[in-house]
Amino acid sequence: MPLRRFGRINWLGTGTLAAREIRRFMTVWQQTVLAPLITAGLFVVIFVVALGRGRGEVMGLPFVEFIGPGILMMTVIQTGFANSSSSLISAKMQGNIIDTLMPPLSAAEILAGYLAGSLVRSLMVAAVISAGLALVVGHGPAHPLLALLYIVLGALLLGGLGILGGIIAQKFDHMATLTNFVVTPLSFLSGTFYSVQALPEPFRTLSHWNPIFYLIDGARYGFAGVGDAPVLRGLAVSVVSVAAVNGLGWWWLRTGYRMKP
């Protein structure tokens, strides 16, 4: 390897990769930004207007205030996963992944560039849904900084999982399998539409082994001030999960696993 002449961190290269990822999803913003917002709105209409009429409070909250943060976080994590995974698998299928691997970028810098795209896209979606939720319930988040922290952790965790999925998958069918059988079940079965305290055993205990449960529960606490699990435990699990997933992603990028011959 020649001497890196741009310092310990290639800020220009990392920033360029991040900007490319942002421009990539903004080019088709109707699919990448608007579509998740419409899906979130449909969930609200179905569960609140159609199924939630006359429904009592959940955890001391009106049903719309209870379900809103769950739908927001579910949309954030699905958006974060879709952004990084689709970028990697598309580059591999089109044969232009070499344009990312050849520049003088370390594994950590490539990881940061892809995560930046997932984070920005998730934050854009979360900002719009948060504004709509505030209009519906009549007030803003109970703990805005904590809510923002969980949104960032959710985007980084699923963005990292998307990178792992993009590395493993060899075609779009593989990615669809990961989405349908891993990401979607984990997000739906994590207290998005219900309180896990209402589940019988052993499903209640199993829910606490799902890291996405802590993201959704933490977002609910940040927005509504109530949750199923202790806040510190949720933060600890979320931070450890983000570190583990992205640490594995860094290692796979560093070794060229399924990326280089």
Side-chain angles (χ1 to χ4, degrees):
M1 288 289 292
L3 179 67
R4 289 169 64 101
R5 301 179 180 178
F6 36 74
R8 185 175 296 274
I9 301 176
N10 186 352
W11 294 106
L12 177 61
T14 305
T16 302
L17 177 58
R20 186 199 72 179
E21 288 299 297
I22 295 172
R23 288 196 299 268
R24 187 186 70 86
F25 74 77
M26 286 302 298
T27 301
V28 287
W29 63 270
Q30 298 93 336
Q31 303 174 28
T32 57
V33 179
L34 182 61
L37 296 176
I38 294 176
T39 302
L42 289 175
F43 273 117
V44 172
V45 170
I46 293 171
F47 281 95
V48 176
V49 177
L51 301 180
R53 288 185 175 180
R55 180 162 181 167
E57 295 183 343
V58 182
M59 297 176 62
L61 297 172
F63 187 58
V64 63
E65 192 170 348
F66 170 83
I67 201 175
I71 292 176
L72 181 147
M73 183 56 72
M74 183 186 69
T75 307
V76 164
I77 61 181
Q78 290 179 345
T79 298
F81 179 85
N83 194 79
S84 56
S85 62
S86 62
S87 180
L88 270 172
I89 190 62
S90 296
K92 290 170 67 175
M93 294 296 294
Q94 295 169 5
N96 58 21
I97 189 64
I98 191 67
D99 295 336
T100 303
L101 300 178
M102 283 299 292
L105 291 169
S106 67
E109 291 161 353
I110 295 175
L111 182 72
Y114 280 111
L115 288 178
S118 293
L119 180 61
V120 171
R121 180 174 165 183
S122 296
L123 288 175
M124 291 176 64
V125 171
V128 178
I129 297 178
S130 298
L133 184 61
L135 291 175
V136 171
V137 302
H139 60 81
H143 309 284
L145 293 180
L146 188 63
L148 177 61
L149 177 59
Y150 271 105
I151 290 172
V152 171
L153 289 173
L156 294 179
L157 176 59
L158 271 295
L161 281 177
I163 291 173
L164 297 183
I167 292 174
I168 294 174
Q170 297 299 318
K171 54 184 179 179
F172 289 107
D173 288 346
H174 296 163
M175 187 57 62
T177 300
L178 291 173
T179 302
N180 294 331
F181 292 99
V182 178
V183 177
T184 301
L186 285 178
S187 59
F188 273 70
L189 301 176
S190 53
T192 303
F193 307 109
Y194 55 87
S195 170
V196 298
Q197 297 300 326
L199 295 177
E201 293 291 353
F203 301 106
R204 184 189 308 172
T205 300
L206 289 175
S207 295
H208 287 79
W209 288 91
N210 179 2
I212 297 181
F213 156 74
Y214 293 98
L215 293 174
I216 292 177
D217 189 66
R220 182 170 290 125
Y221 183 85
F223 278 91
V226 297
D228 282 315
V231 177
L232 292 180
R233 183 200 300 172
L235 281 175
V237 172
S238 299
V239 170
V240 170
S241 299
V242 169
V245 166
N246 287 288
L248 180 59
W250 168 81
W251 179 251
W252 282 0
L253 290 171
R254 186 173 184 271
T255 58
Y257 175 67
R258 287 182 175 259
M259 298 283 281
K260 301 177 182 178

